[in-house]
Amino acid sequence: MYTPSNSLRTIAWSTLAFSAAHAQYVIDNLSFGQKADGLISPNLRAIPHFVVQGMDDYVPQILSDRVILTHPYPGNKRGSIWAEDPLHHRGDWTAELDFRATGMDRGGGNLQIWYVKESQAHETPASLYTTAKFDGLVLVIDQYEGRGGSIRGFLSDGTIDIKAHPDPDTLAFGKCDYAYRNRGALTPIKLHHAEGFLEVIVDGETCFKTNKVELPDGYYFGISASSAEIPDSFEVHKFVVSTTNSYTREEPNKQRYANADQQQQQQSLASQQGREQQTHQKQQGSSQHDMPKMMQDVLAASINSQQDQFADLHNRIQIINNRVYDIYELLEKMHTESEQRYNELMHRVVPIDDRGAATIRNVEKVERTTMQILRDLESKDFKDMMNQIHRALENNQEGLSRSLPLALGAVVSSHGPSMTTFLFIAIAVQIMITGAYIVYKKRRNGAPKKYL
């Protein structure tokens, strides 16, 4: 697959123009929930580039599109989310948080947005009222003074012990009232920092703004929440950090990019090799598979010349084209294999159809035979057959009536008792009665007489 150089040049300049038109760049490793699908965690166990933790044995619940820092029940829980990498961009940047707070009428709790020098990623989650000292900024969202909700900003240089302060709420440098509880919809709160001012925007409107605060780079972002005995549930759906500095869409890592000059040389060498390889391909007509499969990620600021930028963009587009062509070939191969399997299955199904047709023919044959029998039964006259059966029954009855008395007489004569037996039995009975009477008379005459 070959792409003309004019088309590549047009695509390259269009891409550069499109990138320049969008002045806001999302820092991916300091953000979550910013993608189109809204997914926060790929495995529901962790958030990439962030540390999620709770207090004691409590762990905030990570779902596909949100993180529940504190549950509706039970109360007195704490949860936090801390970025693993600091912010390395100076000047203009924006941090936006989408959250929801729900609870009972008298529920309580607070939510904090931190931008501090020392990360609390591996410490017990703390709020403004439980932390000792911090260096940086914290926005507190709670029901201060019972007004239904308020947002306040606090600054510290690490010397103020807020936990030991008699009235920490007086240290706020800016605040506004906002009813954030039980709204149903998500509440967007945005922290915008630029050279010369710091602005807090809630639901599209400015909460407070000051031109006396300038935050340094190298600090860590964090989100923490705590609930009261009657708890509020705090859900975080999205946290996006963006900047107008067009260095890269990824947050630079100081350890990874410590030797910028060396990487710039490597990039220049790679760009030169890419141009030489492109020229060789045009001259020799080599295959597209000679292109490298992957190129090393580099900082856009490390490419100085416009020619190197165009060469780098050209090489990456060529790699994308090669990958698309590989996917196309893979799909073609899968389509061919699917057709072959389909044909094999169809060949195997044909004998089954033949056996099915034979079965149908047998069933039809049985049905025809059954219908023929029914027609025969309905069409024939069975009067003669019934007369024959009737005559046979009469003959059997006459035979039984003639033969039954003779048979019974023969049985009685052969097996019944004789007259001599009856006479002997009668005489024996009379002798027994006479003997019994004589014995009775003798006993009576021998009995003693009784006189009155």
Side-chain angles (χ1 to χ4, degrees):
M1 181 182 295
Y2 174 71
T3 304
S5 59
N6 292 333
S7 299
L8 290 174
R9 187 178 296 108
T10 302
I11 294 173
W13 285 112
S14 300
T15 304
L16 292 175
F18 179 81
S19 300
H22 291 72
Q24 204 74 14
Y25 295 89
V26 175
I27 304 175
D28 290 335
N29 65 325
L30 296 181
S31 308
F32 59 83
Q34 77 277 16
K35 298 181 180 179
D37 54 9
L39 292 178
I40 290 179
S41 173
N43 53 13
L44 303 183
R45 293 191 299 270
I47 302 177
H49 308 292
F50 284 83
V51 176
V52 181
Q53 62 182 2
M55 179 183 65
D56 298 333
D57 57 346
Y58 170 75
V59 178
Q61 184 177 6
I62 302 177
L63 303 178
S64 59
D65 61 342
R66 74 194 71 177
V67 180
I68 303 178
L69 291 178
T70 58
H71 288 176
Y73 179 84
N76 297 322
K77 299 297 181 182
R78 299 180 190 175
S80 66
I81 308 173
W82 282 91
E84 295 179 343
D85 302 323
L87 175 67
H88 292 300
H89 291 276
R90 298 183 63 87
D92 194 352
W93 53 263
T94 302
E96 183 175 359
L97 174 69
D98 288 356
F99 74 97
R100 179 187 289 122
T102 56
M104 301 178 64
D105 292 340
R106 297 185 179 181
N110 53 55
L111 180 72
Q112 288 81 211
I113 304 176
W114 303 83
Y115 181 70
V116 293
K117 184 176 182 180
E118 300 293 335
S119 173
Q120 302 178 16
H122 301 287
E123 300 178 4
T124 301
S127 65
L128 175 70
Y129 305 102
T130 58
T131 186
K133 298 180 180 180
F134 67 91
D135 185 358
L137 167 70
V138 58
L139 292 181
V140 180
I141 305 169
D142 60 4
Q143 302 181 71
Y144 174 66
E145 294 181 348
R147 298 179 180 179
S150 67
I151 301 173
R152 292 165 295 151
F154 295 85
L155 288 171
S156 176
D157 57 359
T159 60
I160 303 175
D161 190 351
I162 300 212
K163 182 178 180 181
H165 197 276
D167 191 3
D169 297 319
T170 59
L171 302 177
F173 68 91
K175 67 177 181 178
C176 69
D177 295 332
Y178 184 79
Y180 62 91
R181 299 180 70 251
N182 298 326
R183 297 180 66 244
L186 296 177
T187 299
I189 180 169
K190 184 183 298 184
L191 178 64
H192 183 201
H193 176 268
E195 295 182 359
F197 73 92
L198 175 67
E199 183 179 12
V200 176
I201 303 171
V202 182
D203 206 2
E205 298 182 358
T206 300
C207 176
F208 59 85
K209 182 178 181 180
T210 178
N211 57 359
K212 299 180 180 180
V213 175
E214 183 176 357
L215 301 175
D217 62 337
Y219 282 26
Y220 292 84
F221 282 105
I223 306 165
S224 66
S226 60
S227 61
E229 184 175 357
I230 302 178
D232 273 345
S233 176
F234 287 96
E235 302 176 2
V236 176
H237 288 248
K238 182 176 69 174
F239 182 72
V240 179
V241 179
S242 58
T243 179
T244 57
N245 297 329
S246 58
Y247 297 132
T248 177
R249 294 181 65 85
E250 289 288 339
E251 176 73 11
N253 191 317
K254 289 185 176 181
Q255 297 179 355
R256 182 179 177 182
Y257 302 107
N259 299 325
D261 296 337
Q262 182 178 359
Q263 289 196 353
Q264 182 176 356
Q265 294 176 1
Q266 293 178 356
Q267 175 62 23
S268 300
L269 181 60
S271 301
Q272 183 178 359
Q273 291 177 354
R275 290 194 299 271
E276 292 177 355
Q277 186 175 7
Q278 180 182 2
T279 304
H280 179 71
Q281 287 180 355
K282 291 181 179 180
Q283 292 176 355
Q284 302 296 332
S286 60
S287 173
Q288 60 177 343
H289 297 287
D290 294 337
M291 290 292 296
K293 296 296 183 180
M294 188 63 66
M295 294 184 66
Q296 184 182 6
D297 294 338
V298 295
L299 290 172
S302 64
I303 306 176
N304 296 326
S305 64
Q306 194 174 27
Q307 184 178 4
D308 291 341
Q309 292 178 355
F310 174 77
D312 179 73
L313 183 60
H314 168 75
N315 293 337
R316 295 183 186 276
I317 293 176
Q318 279 293 99
I319 292 174
I320 293 174
N321 289 337
N322 294 340
R323 290 299 180 88
V324 172
Y325 181 76
D326 292 341
I327 294 174
Y328 174 76
E329 287 185 341
L330 180 60
L331 292 176
E332 285 289 335
K333 183 178 179 181
M334 293 174 62
H335 178 68
T336 304
E337 292 178 353
S338 299
E339 287 186 348
Q340 293 177 356
R341 292 177 182 176
Y342 175 76
N343 294 330
E344 291 177 358
L345 290 175
M346 293 301 296
H347 287 304
R348 294 180 180 178
V349 170
V350 170
I352 298 177
D353 291 342
D354 292 342
R355 290 195 294 271
T359 304
I360 293 174
R361 288 194 296 270
N362 293 333
V363 173
E364 292 177 351
K365 185 176 179 180
V366 173
E367 290 179 351
R368 287 194 299 269
T369 305
T370 305
M371 295 299 296
Q372 184 65 33
I373 294 172
L374 291 175
R375 285 193 297 269
D376 293 340
L377 293 174
E378 292 175 356
S379 61
K380 291 184 178 180
D381 189 4
F382 297 95
K383 184 177 180 180
D384 295 337
M385 186 180 295
M386 296 298 295
N387 291 332
Q388 293 178 3
I389 294 172
H390 182 67
R391 285 193 297 271
L393 290 175
E394 287 181 349
N395 294 332
N396 291 333
Q397 183 179 3
E398 291 177 357
L400 288 173
S401 61
R402 288 193 301 267
S403 61
L404 185 59
L406 297 176
L408 289 175
V411 171
V412 171
S413 61
S414 61
H415 298 285
S418 64
M419 187 59 66
T420 305
T421 304
F422 281 112
L423 292 175
F424 178 75
I425 293 173
I427 294 170
V429 171
Q430 289 179 1
I431 293 172
M432 290 174 62
I433 294 173
T434 303
Y437 179 74
I438 293 172
V439 172
Y440 170 72
K441 292 295 287 184
K442 285 183 178 182
R443 288 185 178 182
R444 182 177 180 183
N445 293 328
K449 302 295 189 292
K450 296 181 179 181
Y451 299 97
L452 296 174

